Amino acid sequence: MLWFGPFPRKTPTFPTRDEFVRYLESYVSKHDLRVRCGVKVDRIDRAADGWRLATSAGDRTVRKVLVATGQDRAPVLPDWPERSRFPGRLLHSAEYRNPREFRGSDVLVVGSGCSGMDIAGDLIQGGASRVRLAVRARPHIMLRTSVWGPNDLLAAALQRIPPPIADSIDEFIRRRTVGDLAPWGLELPEEGTFTALRRDDSQPTIIDPDVAEAIKSGRIEIVAGVSSVGADGVQLDDGTTMRPDAIIAATGFRTGLEPLVGHLGVLDDQGMPRYEPGIAAGLYFLGYGKGTGVIGPRASRETRHLCRELADAKGSRDRQPVASLGGPRPAAQPPSARRFHPVGGGGALSMALASSVPLSLPMTGLSHDSSCPASGSANW
């Protein structure tokens, strides 16, 4: 939940999309926040007195910009050269809405992450005639909830202890909740969940018990990864060919920040913000830190850090002129010190929240019918 705004009583542990949207709308109303909707920001450029935003409502110059469009905004489809010739329906998981349109259909879900597992389970419950899940990289599996409550609370705690110990605890719990899925084609990686997370931010796949049971009962069939898609159907890595009615590619997202700020030299090769002081004074990024577990506390830490940066910058401006955007770069901090360090510094006269989709509440991907719609799509 957000600062100064608890969810209403009797809200479930995992709110639905509509419940979360209502919460955001009531938060804005309760605190009389000025949120301008329906303005699309296409590009951010340096200006002599700050930053120039090219928007659907015209150009606007501001002293500071906060980019908070999220890590998972731009859907990524695999480079299957002949995919346009596939005779069935091919869509990304971002386009998936509900299982009704796939009732009675043979569906191949590509990808063993959270979205792929959730969609496969949803399709089974919604009446799809056959559901297969194409898996190339073996996922770490974690149940969404257990007898201890939401497992993201447990994951957050386990990240604070040495990875080998956390891996042992995680394995113990998984064996007694999920069980061994190897007989059904879903073998676990040899490396532990928290060792992989610490090394390369490899996120576990969160599933519900009914998905695990559907795999064990054969209602969700695990197959090899997809090597090609074309007019003749789908070719798997093991040489198998199939002709599903539909393919749902749960194949991930990118930040999609390149059109917005890619020309400013503030992104790395993966399209993630480079957290280095002095790259671009007055340009901040929020919500791109690594980690798994409870979103709220992590977001609060990042937000508090950002607020301190803005307050320090404002105090600095009250005492001295704004620093030049092209000035020398301060010495780089060690990674541990700059993990959540926002890009920038400088003075604060005005500020804008930048999004390459129509601006809304500071959460992209919540498409709903209201007077303040948000564009894009996210998997919740």
Side-chain angles (χ1 to χ4, degrees):
M1 62 185 176
L2 302 176
W3 282 349
F4 312 118
F7 276 92
R9 294 184 63 183
K10 298 184 179 180
T11 300
T13 302
F14 298 101
T16 65
R17 182 207 64 177
D18 290 342
E19 287 170 331
F20 193 71
V21 169
R22 285 195 296 270
Y23 168 71
L24 292 177
E25 291 174 334
S26 65
Y27 189 93
V28 169
S29 176
K30 176 181 178 180
H31 298 287
D32 193 26
L33 302 178
R34 292 181 296 171
V35 177
R36 185 176 179 184
C37 303
V39 178
K40 183 180 179 183
V41 179
D42 295 309
R43 182 181 170 100
I44 300 173
D45 286 291
R46 289 180 172 88
D49 52 352
W51 297 93
R52 183 174 64 255
L53 278 60
T55 83
S56 58
D59 289 356
R60 181 181 179 187
T61 300
V62 297
R63 179 69 65 179
K64 290 185 177 294
V65 180
L66 169 61
V67 180
T69 55
Q71 297 187 45
D72 302 329
R73 199 190 63 79
V76 174
L77 276 174
D79 185 21
W80 296 318
E82 300 294 317
R83 69 190 189 198
S84 63
R85 300 180 61 193
F86 176 64
R89 183 180 178 189
L90 171 60
L91 66 155
H92 192 274
S93 59
E95 302 172 74
Y96 178 82
R97 292 295 178 269
N98 59 68
R100 288 194 298 271
E101 54 193 313
F102 300 98
R103 188 170 295 143
S105 298
D106 179 350
V107 185
L108 173 66
V109 180
V110 182
S112 57
C114 300
S115 297
M117 290 286 190
D118 280 348
I119 290 172
D122 201 37
L123 290 168
I124 286 295
Q125 295 180 7
S129 63
R130 187 176 189 181
V131 176
R132 286 172 281 194
L133 184 69
V135 177
R136 174 170 291 133
R138 294 182 294 174
H140 293 94
I141 300 292
M142 182 179 292
L143 275 188
R144 194 182 313 276
T145 59
S146 66
V147 294
W148 299 279
N151 274 337
D152 50 2
L153 297 171
L154 177 63
L158 291 179
Q159 287 183 82
R160 298 177 177 272
I161 64 178
I165 300 176
D167 289 340
S168 297
I169 297 173
D170 176 59
E171 181 182 4
F172 175 84
I173 295 172
R174 183 172 55 250
R175 286 184 178 277
R176 283 155 180 77
T177 53
V178 179
D180 183 12
L181 299 179
W184 294 273
L186 199 60
E187 297 181 358
L188 292 174
E190 295 180 2
E191 188 174 49
T193 299
F194 291 89
T195 296
L197 178 64
R198 177 73 63 88
R199 189 191 66 250
D200 57 13
D201 195 39
S202 178
Q203 300 290 319
T205 294
I206 312 299
I207 67 172
D208 288 315
D210 57 349
V211 172
E213 292 304 316
I215 293 173
K216 293 177 182 178
S217 68
R219 290 178 295 152
I220 296 177
E221 305 171 47
I222 306 299
V223 299
V226 174
S227 58
S228 65
V229 175
D232 296 328
V234 178
Q235 183 84 20
L236 300 183
D237 292 340
D238 61 3
T240 302
T241 299
M242 60 179 63
R243 288 176 171 269
D245 299 317
I247 302 172
I248 301 176
T251 47
F253 298 80
R254 287 178 62 89
T255 63
L257 290 172
E258 288 83 359
L260 194 67
V261 297
H263 54 288
L264 299 174
V266 297
L267 303 179
D268 63 18
D269 294 340
Q270 302 300 315
M272 295 288 286
R274 294 165 53 198
Y275 293 110
E276 300 175 18
I279 291 181
L283 179 61
Y284 296 84
F285 295 87
L286 181 65
Y288 299 89
K290 296 180 180 180
T292 189
V294 185
I295 294 175
R298 191 168 73 244
S300 295
R301 287 194 299 271
E302 291 190 54
T303 304
R304 285 195 297 269
H305 188 107
L306 175 61
C307 289
R308 286 195 297 269
E309 289 283 328
L310 293 171
D312 291 346
K314 185 178 187 303
S316 175
R317 176 173 174 80
D318 291 340
R319 296 188 297 271
Q320 61 185 16
V322 178
S324 169
L325 294 178
R329 179 184 299 180
Q333 294 176 294
S336 60
R338 69 170 187 260
R339 184 172 187 182
F340 296 121
H341 189 96
V343 174
L349 286 182
S350 57
M351 184 170 176
L353 174 68
S355 171
S356 53
V357 298
L359 287 182
S360 171
L361 303 171
M363 175 73 71
T364 60
L366 300 173
S367 180
H368 65 291
D369 295 327
S370 77
S371 59
C372 189
S375 293
S377 181
N379 295 305
W380 292 89

